[in-house]
């Protein structure tokens, strides 16, 4: 069997060897097998094509298409749902070296970028013009724009500015057969034809490979104000977050962390958040009236909080934001992490936290929880020992129960990380068989041979 | 020929007569033939099905599908691109009587509505809870949500709050064969599967008929501030609008009207705007810092303006907003109106206005211009004598030239009204043949028999 695999891999590699960027180097193949989901395929992909240009991607897809080889698109490899995981028999088309910012128009507030550019690099370049790019996953420093588009990634600032879909005006995409399609436009509005742009955003590499994106930048706020509040328990923090929504206040950031996560951050970073409470809410407002809006937030959370701490200056604010950004890396020091991504109606946050505690107690898995609270998007993180599986046994059971919890509360399986490989089995349950069937028909219309990221997303 | 048409119509009517809401009444058919685009088909549709429930729509499509009859979905009939126009051989499925607001959740800020409900009625109901529905076409008092969804309608508040796509969380849609599909969700975020919701929004009734929409409402701003500025010419007003964008200010409304439009509004409404200048810019800000932001706008426009008038109170502000809302009705008193809908990059507004003046001079057609200036979305309105055609001769030529002007400036054919029947011939030029081909493949995947609104949009 092992020999058979090896020879099959050699065949694939030979078929792709016409591509100057193709490599069958074992290290390259092993590195391209997995992402940050914690899932590790049993075998690596057969070949990796390290594209440096749009033409490289076109050529890779033409070759693969002609030979019927399955292709897994790959960017920075920071996905959390195994959407970029690749195994034996598959060709990885890696665009991480296509990482240039092609242009920034500071008047129109538009950036044109290649897919491999890191999210944080776009923001750094935008900042030079007093602008920012709103979708800011916690992984901003290491995730790339192509992957953000593939998963319709969110982040903290989505609370006010929307997800990736609201910040991508247009795309250039290589289709399965190597043809290049333009979607969207460079104007803010436009309704000529169907919204193919939105169709590609969040399609997890199953419809095409993005080679260029036109991003909408926004003016950096004239003023931001930040506070942290600590609570006796996570349900109180959830109720406080819902109270902010119910009070019709629009924070630019509203992040929640539970006690175990705070303890993990403290352990990793030497901070002392957990001493102040068993749950934490971070709120930021921006704009000309940011200070007035923050006062309203302080008023809304006070009845639920042990203490409320407005940041005295930018450094204090940055330290509070950093605590949230440190959550996932801190947990990764404790074991293998599987990150849930459910979303629920915004007034059901406390119910969701209570449900997660119940799941943890029943299944015996450790669950740490953070949430983009303004959007009702929770990341319950299952942490297992490094040698334990996250795709079988209790971790898998807990992941399924999380989905059913979200469903009971009127929510969804995935808010911003995507389905990938890890959540496929619940897709039909959420969408219905007919919707899945239609989505497969759309997939077939764009990729009749079915070579793009097979087995992922739908 | 006439007899042949009449007998063919009778046959269609007979085929649909199994539907309890079907009528072949000549008045009903004549009323369902056209919209507010100014386009009048040579013949009326054969039959109109006046649906009162989701089941009525399902039954209508099942009947039509079984017999291969082309179906034109219809709401309030206020479309501006002839998207709802219907002719001999076609069945109109009219959902205007399905006009109930099914529920409003003031905490989650969500409304569930039927497609025939008027945009203004949604806003009136939301206002009772201190909420509003952001997409506000000028026709808010007479246009229905289903049509807003079909065209991805915009309006004034889009400047800050986005278009219909950003305010529709989910849909229930009847497909061509009568099956009912749910798209989207009731949570703010969610990426399970492809974004079918966005695919249906703006698809102009070619993919399905919306029978229910879950709308996102927003908190009414705690404060709004309004100003009007008058200019010596429309290019100056365009430059002032671009200056606001360049100064990174986010107005909630930024509307521009040229001198001829002002004169038409004055004539119809007895106001005296034209005396104050040959172009008008209306700006509104909202939120806790609205007054501070309005000061910034006043500063940005001052170098270009003849005068700047902050509204002293809500009544003055409402009068200024009304002037803009009156523009299209005022022009309709002057003749038959064909409304252009081009969008250009936001810093090209002055160039667009100059180009429109040049087109008017060259073709001899009268063009009145208004614009959603913050989005670069212009509505150049061609006014011809009531007996003249808007789909042939100079009006048609001018419409084509407008598109090519937009294209030269990096813009698009239609910002928010849709392609309908009137702009079809330029679609492939904007999108490219390959994109149109893919869109037709998607259409074929959802409506294999091609019965839904044939000949429209793509």
């Amino acid at each position: 069997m092992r020999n058979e695999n090896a020879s099959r891999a050699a065949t694939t590699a030979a078929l792709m060897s016409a591509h100057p960027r193709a490599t069958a180097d074992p290290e390259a193949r092993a590195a391209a097998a997995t992402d940050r989901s914690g899932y590790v395929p049993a075998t690596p992909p057969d070949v990796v094509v390290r594209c440096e240009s749009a033409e490289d991607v076109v050529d890779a897809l033409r070759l693969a298409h002609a030979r019927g080889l399955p292709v897994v698109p790959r960017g920075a490899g920071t996905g959390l749902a195994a959407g970029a995981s690749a195994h034996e028999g598959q060709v990885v088309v890696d665009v991480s070296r296509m990482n240039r910012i092609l242009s920034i128009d500071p008047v129109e507030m538009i950036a044109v970028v290649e897919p491999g550019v890191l999210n944080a690099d776009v923001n750094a370049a935008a900042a030079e013009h007093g602008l920012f790019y709103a979708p800011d996953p916690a992984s901003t420093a290491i995730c790339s724009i192509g992957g953000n588009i593939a998963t319709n990634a969110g982040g903290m600032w989505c609370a006010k500015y929307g997800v990736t879909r609201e910040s991508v005006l247009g795309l250039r995409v290589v289709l399965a057969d190597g043809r290049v399609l333009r979607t969207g436009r460079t104007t803010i509005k436009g309704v000529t034809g169907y919204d193919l742009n939105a169709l590609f955003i969040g399609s997890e590499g199953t419809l095409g490979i993005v080679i260029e994106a036109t991003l909408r930048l926004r003016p950096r706020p004239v003023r931001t104000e930040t506070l942290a509040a600590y609570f006796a328990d996570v349900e109180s923090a959830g109720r406080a977050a819902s109270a902010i929504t119910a009070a019709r206040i629009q924070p630019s950031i509203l992040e929640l962390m539970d006690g175990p996560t705070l303890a993990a951050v403290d352990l990793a970073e030497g901070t002392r958040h957990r001493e102040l409470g068993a749950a934490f809410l971070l709120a930021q407002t921006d704009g000309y009236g940011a200070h007035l809006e923050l006062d309203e937030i302080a008023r809304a959370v006070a009845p639920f909080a042990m203490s409320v701490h407005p940041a005295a200056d930018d450094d204090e604010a940055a330290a509070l934001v950093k605590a949230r950004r440190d959550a996932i890396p801190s947990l990764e020091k404790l074991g293998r992490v599987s990150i849930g991504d459910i979303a629920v109606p915004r007034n059901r946050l406390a119910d969701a936290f209570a449900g997660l505690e119940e799941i943890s107690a029943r299944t015996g898995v450790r669950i740490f929880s953070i949430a983009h609270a303004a959007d009702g998007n929770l990341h319950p993180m299952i942490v297992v020992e490094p040698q334990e599986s996250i795709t079988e046994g209790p971790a898998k059971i807990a992941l399924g129960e999380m989905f059913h919890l979200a469903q009971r509360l009127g929510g969804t399986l995935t808010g911003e990380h995507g389905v990938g490989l890890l959540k496929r089995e619940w897709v039909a349950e959420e969408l219905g068989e007919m919707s899945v069937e239609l989505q497969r028909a759309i997939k077939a219309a764009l990729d009749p041979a079915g070579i793009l990221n097979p087995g992922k997303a739908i």
Side-chain angles (χ1 to χ4, degrees), chain A:
Chain A
M1 181 66 185
R2 204 159 184 194
N3 280 346
E4 196 187 314
N5 284 351
S7 94
R8 212 184 303 162
T11 310
T12 309
L15 289 170
M16 290 301 293
S17 65
H19 199 296
R21 313 284 179 211
T23 175
D25 170 66
E27 246 176 76
R29 289 162 56 203
T34 188
D35 56 13
R36 288 181 73 228
S37 64
Y39 171 76
V40 183
T43 54
D46 296 355
V47 57
V48 181
V49 187
R50 291 162 159 169
C51 298
E52 296 184 4
S53 69
E55 292 65 39
D56 284 345
V57 180
V58 168
D59 291 346
L61 282 170
R62 278 198 191 135
L63 275 169
H65 192 255
R67 290 153 180 76
L69 300 173
V71 168
V72 178
R74 182 178 185 84
T78 61
L80 297 168
S85 71
H87 56 69
E88 184 255 313
Q90 297 187 315
V91 175
V92 170
V93 174
D94 180 343
V95 297
S96 61
R97 293 180 180 186
M98 295 169 61
N99 60 2
R100 289 177 303 163
I101 294 172
L102 300 171
S103 65
I104 290 188
D105 180 337
V107 178
E108 277 301 294
M109 296 183 270
I110 281 174
V112 181
V113 306
E114 291 186 328
V117 66
L118 299 184
N119 181 291
D121 289 345
V122 173
N123 254 316
E128 289 176 25
H129 302 281
L131 301 168
F132 77 107
Y133 176 64
D136 64 330
S139 54
T140 173
I142 53 170
C143 67
S144 58
I145 292 293
N148 292 174
I149 292 166
T151 57
N152 194 15
M156 300 200 210
W157 290 327
C158 303
K160 182 165 182 175
Y161 297 101
V163 292
T164 296
R165 197 188 68 171
E166 277 77 65
S167 286
V168 173
L169 294 173
L171 297 172
R172 280 212 307 150
V173 183
V174 184
L175 301 175
D177 59 8
R179 288 184 298 169
V180 177
L181 173 74
R182 271 186 187 281
T183 69
R185 49 193 59 81
T186 55
T187 53
I188 297 299
K189 284 157 82 173
V191 289
T192 309
Y194 299 148
D195 193 348
L196 295 188
N197 207 47
L199 187 64
F200 279 94
I201 297 169
S203 65
E204 303 191 37
T206 62
L207 300 178
I209 300 183
V210 171
I211 51 172
E212 186 184 295
T214 301
L215 309 179
R216 180 179 188 171
L217 306 176
R218 295 168 199 268
R220 288 187 80 81
V222 290
R223 179 173 191 164
T224 63
E225 300 287 341
T226 308
L227 69 73
Y230 295 84
F231 303 82
D233 51 61
V234 71
E235 287 82 1
S236 300
R239 272 189 282 273
S242 296
I244 292 171
T245 302
R248 278 80 184 276
I249 308 163
Q250 179 58 76
S252 51
I253 291 178
L254 189 64
E255 295 292 324
L256 194 154
M257 289 200 278
D258 71 358
T261 309
L262 285 179
V265 170
D266 285 346
L267 184 67
E269 301 292 326
T271 48
R272 304 173 71 171
H273 295 286
R274 182 64 186 80
E275 288 174 13
L276 293 169
F280 166 92
L281 196 61
L282 167 73
Q284 195 167 83
T285 57
D286 69 19
Y288 287 83
H291 51 302
L292 301 171
E293 230 164 333
L294 200 80
D295 289 347
E296 293 295 326
I297 289 180
R299 253 191 291 278
V301 304
F304 306 94
M306 293 170 67
S307 59
V308 178
H309 308 256
D313 54 36
D314 285 355
D315 287 347
E316 267 188 50
L320 294 172
V321 172
K322 183 173 181 300
R324 167 61 183 84
R325 291 213 185 275
D326 288 335
I328 296 175
S330 300
L331 290 174
E332 285 173 340
K333 293 181 179 165
L334 300 183
R336 183 179 284 199
V337 179
S338 174
I339 306 183
D341 178 39
I342 56 175
V344 298
R346 293 169 287 181
N347 61 348
R348 304 305 295 273
L349 275 174
D351 297 327
F353 285 115
L356 290 169
E357 284 179 353
E358 192 272 324
I359 291 170
S360 174
R362 187 152 36 79
T363 59
V365 302
R366 284 193 293 173
I367 301 179
F368 300 72
S369 287
I370 58 180
H372 304 301
D375 294 324
N377 183 193
L378 293 92
H379 295 312
M381 293 173 289
I382 297 170
V383 179
V384 299
E385 298 302 318
Q387 71 281 6
E388 287 182 291
S389 170
I390 56 157
T391 50
E392 285 168 17
K396 169 75 181 296
I397 291 168
L399 203 63
E401 299 226 349
M402 280 178 201
F403 163 55
H404 291 115
L405 168 67
Q407 205 178 34
R408 275 199 307 280
L409 296 174
T412 179
L413 176 58
T414 172
E416 59 180 12
H417 292 170
V419 169
L421 209 59
L422 299 188
K423 302 169 201 160
R424 273 180 315 169
E425 72 187 81
W426 300 292
V427 168
E429 201 177 329
E430 176 169 331
L431 300 177
E433 288 293 345
M434 187 179 62
S435 180
V436 172
E437 183 192 314
L438 284 173
Q439 299 192 33
R440 293 208 173 118
I442 290 170
K443 158 86 173 168
L446 272 73
D447 175 18
I451 66 164
L452 279 168
N453 222 4
K456 311 283 174 58
I458 60 162

